Amino acid sequence: MIRKLLESLNLKLTDEEFKSVMIIVTDDIKFNRINFKKKTSFLDMFSITLRAVDTVRNCA
């Protein structure tokens, strides 16, 4: 579902890039949200995902 949303925004990711993005998003949500007992909305998650895509693309 997330991958399809990214593709609808013309953000094509390789399998490795997508895997890296999902690891970053999961770690971010675990550390910054769950540890502080905050809920993460879909929009928050997608915002984190877009930032992670930028990070992965800039580091590659």
Short mmCIF file of all heavy atoms in Angstrom, two decimals:
data_model
loop_
_atom_site.label_atom_id
_atom_site.label_comp_id
_atom_site.label_asym_id
_atom_site.label_seq_id
_atom_site.Cartn_x
_atom_site.Cartn_y
_atom_site.Cartn_z
N MET A 1 0.82 -1.18 0.00
CA MET A 1 0.00 0.00 0.00
C MET A 1 0.88 1.26 0.00
O MET A 1 0.62 2.18 -0.76
CB MET A 1 -0.91 -0.02 1.22
CG MET A 1 -1.81 1.18 1.30
SD MET A 1 -3.03 1.04 2.57
CE MET A 1 -2.27 2.02 3.83
N ILE A 2 1.88 1.28 0.84
CA ILE A 2 2.76 2.45 0.93
C ILE A 2 3.53 2.61 -0.37
O ILE A 2 3.67 3.72 -0.89
CB ILE A 2 3.71 2.34 2.13
CG1 ILE A 2 2.91 2.34 3.42
CG2 ILE A 2 4.73 3.46 2.12
CD1 ILE A 2 3.71 1.97 4.63
N ARG A 3 3.99 1.50 -0.89
CA ARG A 3 4.75 1.55 -2.14
C ARG A 3 3.89 2.09 -3.28
O ARG A 3 4.35 2.89 -4.09
CB ARG A 3 5.29 0.17 -2.47
CG ARG A 3 6.28 0.21 -3.59
CD ARG A 3 6.98 -1.11 -3.75
NE ARG A 3 8.20 -0.89 -4.47
CZ ARG A 3 9.25 -1.64 -4.42
NH1 ARG A 3 9.25 -2.68 -3.64
NH2 ARG A 3 10.31 -1.37 -5.12
N LYS A 4 2.63 1.69 -3.34
CA LYS A 4 1.73 2.17 -4.38
C LYS A 4 1.49 3.67 -4.24
O LYS A 4 1.41 4.39 -5.22
CB LYS A 4 0.42 1.41 -4.36
CG LYS A 4 0.57 0.00 -4.88
CD LYS A 4 -0.76 -0.72 -4.91
CE LYS A 4 -0.55 -2.13 -5.42
NZ LYS A 4 -1.79 -2.88 -5.49
N LEU A 5 1.38 4.14 -3.01
CA LEU A 5 1.20 5.58 -2.79
C LEU A 5 2.44 6.35 -3.24
O LEU A 5 2.33 7.42 -3.85
CB LEU A 5 0.92 5.87 -1.32
CG LEU A 5 -0.48 5.56 -0.83
CD1 LEU A 5 -0.56 5.71 0.67
CD2 LEU A 5 -1.49 6.44 -1.52
N LEU A 6 3.61 5.82 -2.95
CA LEU A 6 4.84 6.48 -3.39
C LEU A 6 4.93 6.49 -4.91
O LEU A 6 5.33 7.50 -5.50
CB LEU A 6 6.06 5.77 -2.79
CG LEU A 6 6.25 5.92 -1.28
CD1 LEU A 6 7.36 5.00 -0.80
CD2 LEU A 6 6.54 7.36 -0.91
N GLU A 7 4.56 5.39 -5.53
CA GLU A 7 4.59 5.34 -7.00
C GLU A 7 3.57 6.28 -7.62
O GLU A 7 3.81 6.84 -8.68
CB GLU A 7 4.35 3.91 -7.48
CG GLU A 7 5.53 3.00 -7.20
CD GLU A 7 5.29 1.55 -7.55
OE1 GLU A 7 4.15 1.20 -7.96
OE2 GLU A 7 6.23 0.76 -7.43
N SER A 8 2.44 6.51 -6.94
CA SER A 8 1.46 7.45 -7.47
C SER A 8 1.98 8.89 -7.42
O SER A 8 1.50 9.75 -8.14
CB SER A 8 0.14 7.34 -6.70
OG SER A 8 0.27 7.88 -5.40
N LEU A 9 2.99 9.12 -6.57
CA LEU A 9 3.64 10.43 -6.50
C LEU A 9 4.90 10.48 -7.36
O LEU A 9 5.72 11.38 -7.24
CB LEU A 9 4.02 10.75 -5.05
CG LEU A 9 2.87 10.91 -4.07
CD1 LEU A 9 3.40 11.05 -2.66
CD2 LEU A 9 2.01 12.11 -4.45
N ASN A 10 5.06 9.48 -8.24
CA ASN A 10 6.21 9.35 -9.13
C ASN A 10 7.52 9.18 -8.37
O ASN A 10 8.56 9.68 -8.79
CB ASN A 10 6.31 10.52 -10.11
CG ASN A 10 5.19 10.48 -11.13
OD1 ASN A 10 4.74 9.41 -11.53
ND2 ASN A 10 4.75 11.64 -11.54
N LEU A 11 7.46 8.51 -7.24
CA LEU A 11 8.67 8.19 -6.47
C LEU A 11 8.93 6.70 -6.63
O LEU A 11 8.48 5.87 -5.84
CB LEU A 11 8.48 8.54 -4.99
CG LEU A 11 8.34 10.01 -4.66
CD1 LEU A 11 7.97 10.19 -3.20
CD2 LEU A 11 9.62 10.75 -4.97
N LYS A 12 9.62 6.35 -7.68
CA LYS A 12 9.95 4.95 -7.95
C LYS A 12 11.16 4.56 -7.11
O LYS A 12 12.18 5.25 -7.12
CB LYS A 12 10.27 4.74 -9.43
CG LYS A 12 9.20 5.21 -10.38
CD LYS A 12 8.09 4.24 -10.47
CE LYS A 12 7.10 4.72 -11.54
NZ LYS A 12 5.86 4.06 -11.48
N LEU A 13 11.03 3.48 -6.37
CA LEU A 13 12.11 3.00 -5.52
C LEU A 13 12.47 1.57 -5.91
O LEU A 13 11.60 0.76 -6.24
CB LEU A 13 11.67 3.00 -4.04
CG LEU A 13 11.30 4.33 -3.43
CD1 LEU A 13 10.68 4.11 -2.06
CD2 LEU A 13 12.51 5.22 -3.32
N THR A 14 13.76 1.28 -5.85
CA THR A 14 14.18 -0.10 -6.03
C THR A 14 13.79 -0.88 -4.78
O THR A 14 13.42 -0.28 -3.75
CB THR A 14 15.70 -0.20 -6.24
OG1 THR A 14 16.36 0.22 -5.04
CG2 THR A 14 16.17 0.64 -7.42
N ASP A 15 13.89 -2.19 -4.86
CA ASP A 15 13.55 -3.01 -3.69
C ASP A 15 14.45 -2.70 -2.51
O ASP A 15 13.99 -2.62 -1.37
CB ASP A 15 13.65 -4.50 -4.05
CG ASP A 15 12.53 -4.95 -4.99
OD1 ASP A 15 11.48 -4.28 -5.03
OD2 ASP A 15 12.72 -5.96 -5.67
N GLU A 16 15.73 -2.48 -2.77
CA GLU A 16 16.68 -2.17 -1.69
C GLU A 16 16.37 -0.80 -1.07
O GLU A 16 16.43 -0.65 0.15
CB GLU A 16 18.11 -2.20 -2.21
CG GLU A 16 18.66 -3.58 -2.40
CD GLU A 16 18.71 -4.37 -1.10
OE1 GLU A 16 19.19 -3.82 -0.09
OE2 GLU A 16 18.26 -5.52 -1.10
N GLU A 17 16.06 0.19 -1.91
CA GLU A 17 15.72 1.52 -1.39
C GLU A 17 14.45 1.44 -0.54
O GLU A 17 14.39 2.02 0.55
CB GLU A 17 15.51 2.51 -2.53
CG GLU A 17 16.76 2.94 -3.24
CD GLU A 17 16.48 3.82 -4.43
OE1 GLU A 17 15.42 3.68 -5.07
OE2 GLU A 17 17.34 4.66 -4.73
N PHE A 18 13.46 0.72 -1.03
CA PHE A 18 12.20 0.61 -0.29
C PHE A 18 12.42 -0.09 1.05
O PHE A 18 11.88 0.34 2.07
CB PHE A 18 11.16 -0.15 -1.12
CG PHE A 18 9.81 -0.20 -0.47
CD1 PHE A 18 9.02 0.93 -0.38
CD2 PHE A 18 9.34 -1.38 0.08
CE1 PHE A 18 7.79 0.90 0.24
CE2 PHE A 18 8.10 -1.43 0.69
CZ PHE A 18 7.32 -0.29 0.77
N LYS A 19 13.24 -1.13 1.04
CA LYS A 19 13.54 -1.84 2.28
C LYS A 19 14.23 -0.90 3.28
O LYS A 19 13.88 -0.87 4.46
CB LYS A 19 14.43 -3.05 1.99
CG LYS A 19 14.74 -3.89 3.18
CD LYS A 19 15.59 -5.08 2.81
CE LYS A 19 15.99 -5.86 4.04
NZ LYS A 19 16.86 -6.99 3.70
N SER A 20 15.19 -0.12 2.80
CA SER A 20 15.89 0.84 3.67
C SER A 20 14.94 1.88 4.22
O SER A 20 15.00 2.23 5.40
CB SER A 20 17.01 1.52 2.90
OG SER A 20 17.98 0.60 2.50
N VAL A 21 14.05 2.38 3.37
CA VAL A 21 13.07 3.39 3.80
C VAL A 21 12.18 2.82 4.89
O VAL A 21 11.94 3.46 5.92
CB VAL A 21 12.24 3.90 2.60
CG1 VAL A 21 11.02 4.68 3.07
CG2 VAL A 21 13.09 4.75 1.68
N MET A 22 11.69 1.60 4.71
CA MET A 22 10.80 1.00 5.69
C MET A 22 11.51 0.73 7.02
O MET A 22 10.92 0.90 8.09
CB MET A 22 10.18 -0.28 5.14
CG MET A 22 9.18 -0.05 4.04
SD MET A 22 7.72 0.89 4.58
CE MET A 22 8.10 2.52 4.00
N ILE A 23 12.78 0.38 6.97
CA ILE A 23 13.56 0.19 8.20
C ILE A 23 13.69 1.52 8.95
O ILE A 23 13.51 1.59 10.16
CB ILE A 23 14.94 -0.43 7.89
CG1 ILE A 23 14.77 -1.88 7.46
CG2 ILE A 23 15.87 -0.32 9.09
CD1 ILE A 23 16.03 -2.52 6.92
N ILE A 24 13.98 2.58 8.21
CA ILE A 24 14.11 3.92 8.82
C ILE A 24 12.80 4.34 9.44
O ILE A 24 12.75 4.82 10.58
CB ILE A 24 14.58 4.94 7.78
CG1 ILE A 24 16.01 4.65 7.35
CG2 ILE A 24 14.44 6.37 8.31
CD1 ILE A 24 16.47 5.45 6.13
N VAL A 25 11.70 4.16 8.72
CA VAL A 25 10.38 4.57 9.22
C VAL A 25 10.01 3.77 10.47
O VAL A 25 9.56 4.35 11.47
CB VAL A 25 9.30 4.40 8.12
CG1 VAL A 25 7.91 4.60 8.69
CG2 VAL A 25 9.56 5.37 6.98
N THR A 26 10.23 2.49 10.43
CA THR A 26 9.90 1.64 11.59
C THR A 26 10.72 2.04 12.81
O THR A 26 10.18 2.18 13.91
CB THR A 26 10.16 0.16 11.25
OG1 THR A 26 9.36 -0.19 10.11
CG2 THR A 26 9.81 -0.75 12.41
N ASP A 27 12.01 2.25 12.62
CA ASP A 27 12.87 2.65 13.74
C ASP A 27 12.47 4.00 14.29
O ASP A 27 12.44 4.21 15.50
CB ASP A 27 14.33 2.67 13.31
CG ASP A 27 14.91 1.29 13.07
OD1 ASP A 27 14.27 0.30 13.50
OD2 ASP A 27 15.98 1.20 12.45
N ASP A 28 12.14 4.94 13.41
CA ASP A 28 11.73 6.28 13.84
C ASP A 28 10.45 6.21 14.67
O ASP A 28 10.35 6.82 15.74
CB ASP A 28 11.54 7.19 12.63
CG ASP A 28 11.19 8.60 13.01
OD1 ASP A 28 9.98 8.87 13.20
OD2 ASP A 28 12.09 9.44 13.14
N ILE A 29 9.47 5.46 14.17
CA ILE A 29 8.20 5.36 14.90
C ILE A 29 8.40 4.66 16.23
O ILE A 29 7.85 5.09 17.25
CB ILE A 29 7.14 4.65 14.03
CG1 ILE A 29 6.74 5.58 12.87
CG2 ILE A 29 5.92 4.26 14.85
CD1 ILE A 29 5.84 4.95 11.84
N LYS A 30 9.19 3.60 16.24
CA LYS A 30 9.43 2.89 17.51
C LYS A 30 10.09 3.80 18.53
O LYS A 30 9.70 3.84 19.69
CB LYS A 30 10.33 1.68 17.28
CG LYS A 30 9.62 0.49 16.72
CD LYS A 30 10.59 -0.67 16.57
CE LYS A 30 9.94 -1.88 15.98
NZ LYS A 30 10.89 -2.99 15.79
N PHE A 31 11.11 4.54 18.11
CA PHE A 31 11.84 5.35 19.06
C PHE A 31 11.09 6.61 19.46
O PHE A 31 10.96 6.93 20.64
CB PHE A 31 13.22 5.73 18.50
CG PHE A 31 14.04 6.51 19.48
CD1 PHE A 31 14.69 5.88 20.50
CD2 PHE A 31 14.13 7.89 19.39
CE1 PHE A 31 15.44 6.58 21.43
CE2 PHE A 31 14.87 8.61 20.30
CZ PHE A 31 15.53 7.96 21.33
N ASN A 32 10.59 7.36 18.48
CA ASN A 32 10.00 8.67 18.76
C ASN A 32 8.52 8.64 19.09
O ASN A 32 8.00 9.62 19.61
CB ASN A 32 10.23 9.60 17.57
CG ASN A 32 11.69 9.93 17.39
OD1 ASN A 32 12.38 10.26 18.34
ND2 ASN A 32 12.17 9.81 16.17
N ARG A 33 7.84 7.59 18.80
CA ARG A 33 6.40 7.55 19.05
C ARG A 33 6.05 6.55 20.15
O ARG A 33 5.46 6.91 21.15
CB ARG A 33 5.64 7.18 17.76
CG ARG A 33 5.87 8.11 16.61
CD ARG A 33 5.28 9.45 16.91
NE ARG A 33 5.56 10.38 15.81
CZ ARG A 33 4.79 11.39 15.52
NH1 ARG A 33 3.72 11.63 16.22
NH2 ARG A 33 5.11 12.20 14.54
N ILE A 34 6.41 5.32 19.95
CA ILE A 34 6.01 4.27 20.89
C ILE A 34 6.65 4.48 22.25
O ILE A 34 5.98 4.35 23.28
CB ILE A 34 6.32 2.87 20.32
CG1 ILE A 34 5.45 2.64 19.08
CG2 ILE A 34 6.08 1.79 21.35
CD1 ILE A 34 5.77 1.38 18.32
N ASN A 35 7.93 4.84 22.27
CA ASN A 35 8.61 5.04 23.55
C ASN A 35 8.01 6.18 24.36
O ASN A 35 8.09 6.19 25.58
CB ASN A 35 10.10 5.28 23.34
CG ASN A 35 10.84 4.02 22.95
OD1 ASN A 35 10.35 2.92 23.14
ND2 ASN A 35 12.02 4.19 22.40
N PHE A 36 7.40 7.16 23.68
CA PHE A 36 6.79 8.30 24.37
C PHE A 36 5.28 8.17 24.44
O PHE A 36 4.57 9.12 24.72
CB PHE A 36 7.19 9.60 23.68
CG PHE A 36 8.66 9.88 23.79
CD1 PHE A 36 9.49 9.76 22.68
CD2 PHE A 36 9.23 10.25 25.00
CE1 PHE A 36 10.85 10.01 22.77
CE2 PHE A 36 10.59 10.51 25.10
CZ PHE A 36 11.40 10.38 23.99
N LYS A 37 4.78 6.96 24.13
CA LYS A 37 3.35 6.64 24.22
C LYS A 37 2.48 7.56 23.37
O LYS A 37 1.39 7.96 23.77
CB LYS A 37 2.90 6.66 25.68
CG LYS A 37 3.75 5.83 26.61
CD LYS A 37 2.95 4.90 27.43
CE LYS A 37 3.74 4.16 28.46
NZ LYS A 37 4.79 3.34 28.05
N LYS A 38 2.97 7.89 22.18
CA LYS A 38 2.20 8.70 21.24
C LYS A 38 1.65 7.80 20.15
O LYS A 38 2.26 6.79 19.79
CB LYS A 38 3.08 9.76 20.58
CG LYS A 38 3.59 10.82 21.50
CD LYS A 38 4.40 11.82 20.72
CE LYS A 38 4.94 12.92 21.61
NZ LYS A 38 5.76 13.86 20.83
N LYS A 39 0.51 8.17 19.63
CA LYS A 39 -0.06 7.43 18.51
C LYS A 39 0.42 8.06 17.22
O LYS A 39 0.64 9.26 17.14
CB LYS A 39 -1.58 7.44 18.57
CG LYS A 39 -2.10 6.66 19.75
CD LYS A 39 -3.59 6.53 19.69
CE LYS A 39 -4.03 5.71 20.88
NZ LYS A 39 -5.41 5.33 20.78
N THR A 40 0.57 7.24 16.20
CA THR A 40 1.04 7.72 14.91
C THR A 40 -0.09 7.59 13.90
O THR A 40 -0.55 6.48 13.61
CB THR A 40 2.25 6.89 14.43
OG1 THR A 40 3.25 6.92 15.44
CG2 THR A 40 2.82 7.45 13.14
N SER A 41 -0.54 8.71 13.38
CA SER A 41 -1.58 8.68 12.35
C SER A 41 -0.97 8.27 11.02
O SER A 41 0.26 8.27 10.85
CB SER A 41 -2.24 10.05 12.22
OG SER A 41 -1.33 10.97 11.64
N PHE A 42 -1.84 7.94 10.08
CA PHE A 42 -1.36 7.57 8.76
C PHE A 42 -0.61 8.73 8.11
O PHE A 42 0.43 8.53 7.48
CB PHE A 42 -2.52 7.13 7.86
CG PHE A 42 -2.07 6.70 6.51
CD1 PHE A 42 -1.52 5.46 6.30
CD2 PHE A 42 -2.18 7.56 5.43
CE1 PHE A 42 -1.07 5.07 5.05
CE2 PHE A 42 -1.75 7.18 4.17
CZ PHE A 42 -1.20 5.93 3.99
N LEU A 43 -1.11 9.94 8.29
CA LEU A 43 -0.45 11.11 7.70
C LEU A 43 0.93 11.33 8.31
O LEU A 43 1.87 11.68 7.61
CB LEU A 43 -1.31 12.36 7.86
CG LEU A 43 -2.59 12.38 7.03
CD1 LEU A 43 -3.41 13.63 7.35
CD2 LEU A 43 -2.29 12.30 5.55
N ASP A 44 1.05 11.11 9.61
CA ASP A 44 2.37 11.22 10.27
C ASP A 44 3.33 10.17 9.71
O ASP A 44 4.48 10.46 9.41
CB ASP A 44 2.25 11.03 11.78
CG ASP A 44 1.58 12.19 12.47
OD1 ASP A 44 1.58 13.30 11.91
OD2 ASP A 44 1.05 11.99 13.58
N MET A 45 2.82 8.95 9.57
CA MET A 45 3.65 7.88 9.04
C MET A 45 4.09 8.18 7.61
O MET A 45 5.25 7.99 7.25
CB MET A 45 2.88 6.55 9.08
CG MET A 45 3.65 5.34 8.60
SD MET A 45 3.64 5.04 6.81
CE MET A 45 1.92 5.05 6.43
N PHE A 46 3.17 8.71 6.80
CA PHE A 46 3.52 9.00 5.42
C PHE A 46 4.50 10.17 5.33
O PHE A 46 5.39 10.18 4.49
CB PHE A 46 2.26 9.28 4.58
CG PHE A 46 2.50 9.11 3.12
CD1 PHE A 46 2.79 7.87 2.59
CD2 PHE A 46 2.45 10.19 2.27
CE1 PHE A 46 3.02 7.71 1.24
CE2 PHE A 46 2.69 10.05 0.92
CZ PHE A 46 2.98 8.80 0.41
N SER A 47 4.38 11.12 6.22
CA SER A 47 5.33 12.24 6.27
C SER A 47 6.73 11.73 6.63
O SER A 47 7.72 12.14 6.01
CB SER A 47 4.87 13.26 7.30
OG SER A 47 5.83 14.24 7.50
N ILE A 48 6.80 10.83 7.59
CA ILE A 48 8.08 10.22 7.96
C ILE A 48 8.64 9.45 6.77
O ILE A 48 9.84 9.49 6.49
CB ILE A 48 7.92 9.32 9.19
CG1 ILE A 48 7.52 10.15 10.42
CG2 ILE A 48 9.19 8.51 9.47
CD1 ILE A 48 7.04 9.33 11.60
N THR A 49 7.77 8.75 6.05
CA THR A 49 8.19 7.98 4.88
C THR A 49 8.79 8.88 3.81
O THR A 49 9.84 8.56 3.24
CB THR A 49 7.01 7.18 4.30
OG1 THR A 49 6.46 6.34 5.32
CG2 THR A 49 7.43 6.35 3.11
N LEU A 50 8.16 10.00 3.53
CA LEU A 50 8.67 10.92 2.51
C LEU A 50 10.04 11.48 2.90
O LEU A 50 10.94 11.60 2.07
CB LEU A 50 7.69 12.05 2.26
CG LEU A 50 6.38 11.64 1.57
CD1 LEU A 50 5.44 12.83 1.49
CD2 LEU A 50 6.65 11.06 0.19
N ARG A 51 10.21 11.79 4.18
CA ARG A 51 11.53 12.26 4.65
C ARG A 51 12.57 11.16 4.54
O ARG A 51 13.73 11.43 4.18
CB ARG A 51 11.44 12.77 6.09
CG ARG A 51 10.77 14.14 6.17
CD ARG A 51 10.80 14.68 7.56
NE ARG A 51 9.62 14.10 8.23
CZ ARG A 51 9.55 13.83 9.51
NH1 ARG A 51 10.54 14.05 10.31
NH2 ARG A 51 8.46 13.31 10.02
N ALA A 52 12.17 9.93 4.82
CA ALA A 52 13.10 8.80 4.71
C ALA A 52 13.50 8.57 3.26
O ALA A 52 14.66 8.24 2.97
CB ALA A 52 12.49 7.54 5.31
N VAL A 53 12.57 8.75 2.32
CA VAL A 53 12.89 8.61 0.90
C VAL A 53 13.94 9.64 0.50
O VAL A 53 14.92 9.31 -0.17
CB VAL A 53 11.62 8.75 0.03
CG1 VAL A 53 11.98 8.89 -1.45
CG2 VAL A 53 10.69 7.56 0.22
N ASP A 54 13.75 10.87 0.94
CA ASP A 54 14.75 11.91 0.65
C ASP A 54 16.10 11.55 1.23
O ASP A 54 17.14 11.73 0.57
CB ASP A 54 14.29 13.26 1.21
CG ASP A 54 13.15 13.87 0.42
OD1 ASP A 54 12.95 13.49 -0.74
OD2 ASP A 54 12.46 14.75 1.00
N THR A 55 16.11 11.05 2.44
CA THR A 55 17.36 10.68 3.10
C THR A 55 18.07 9.56 2.35
O THR A 55 19.28 9.66 2.09
CB THR A 55 17.09 10.23 4.55
OG1 THR A 55 16.44 11.30 5.25
CG2 THR A 55 18.37 9.84 5.25
N VAL A 56 17.34 8.54 1.98
CA VAL A 56 17.95 7.41 1.27
C VAL A 56 18.46 7.85 -0.09
O VAL A 56 19.56 7.46 -0.51
CB VAL A 56 16.93 6.25 1.12
CG1 VAL A 56 17.41 5.19 0.15
CG2 VAL A 56 16.65 5.62 2.49
N ARG A 57 17.72 8.68 -0.77
CA ARG A 57 18.15 9.14 -2.10
C ARG A 57 19.38 10.05 -2.01
O ARG A 57 20.24 10.01 -2.87
CB ARG A 57 17.00 9.88 -2.78
CG ARG A 57 15.88 8.95 -3.18
CD ARG A 57 15.67 8.95 -4.64
NE ARG A 57 14.82 7.89 -5.09
CZ ARG A 57 13.63 8.06 -5.62
NH1 ARG A 57 13.16 9.27 -5.79
NH2 ARG A 57 12.94 7.02 -6.03
N ASN A 58 19.47 10.88 -0.98
CA ASN A 58 20.61 11.77 -0.82
C ASN A 58 21.87 11.04 -0.40
O ASN A 58 22.98 11.49 -0.69
CB ASN A 58 20.30 12.88 0.18
CG ASN A 58 19.34 13.90 -0.39
OD1 ASN A 58 19.26 14.10 -1.60
ND2 ASN A 58 18.59 14.54 0.48
N CYS A 59 21.70 9.91 0.28
CA CYS A 59 22.85 9.14 0.76
C CYS A 59 23.38 8.17 -0.30
O CYS A 59 24.49 7.67 -0.16
CB CYS A 59 22.50 8.38 2.02
SG CYS A 59 22.23 9.45 3.43
N ALA A 60 22.58 7.90 -1.30
CA ALA A 60 22.99 6.91 -2.32
C ALA A 60 23.90 7.49 -3.36
O ALA A 60 24.09 8.59 -3.60
CB ALA A 60 21.76 6.32 -2.99
#
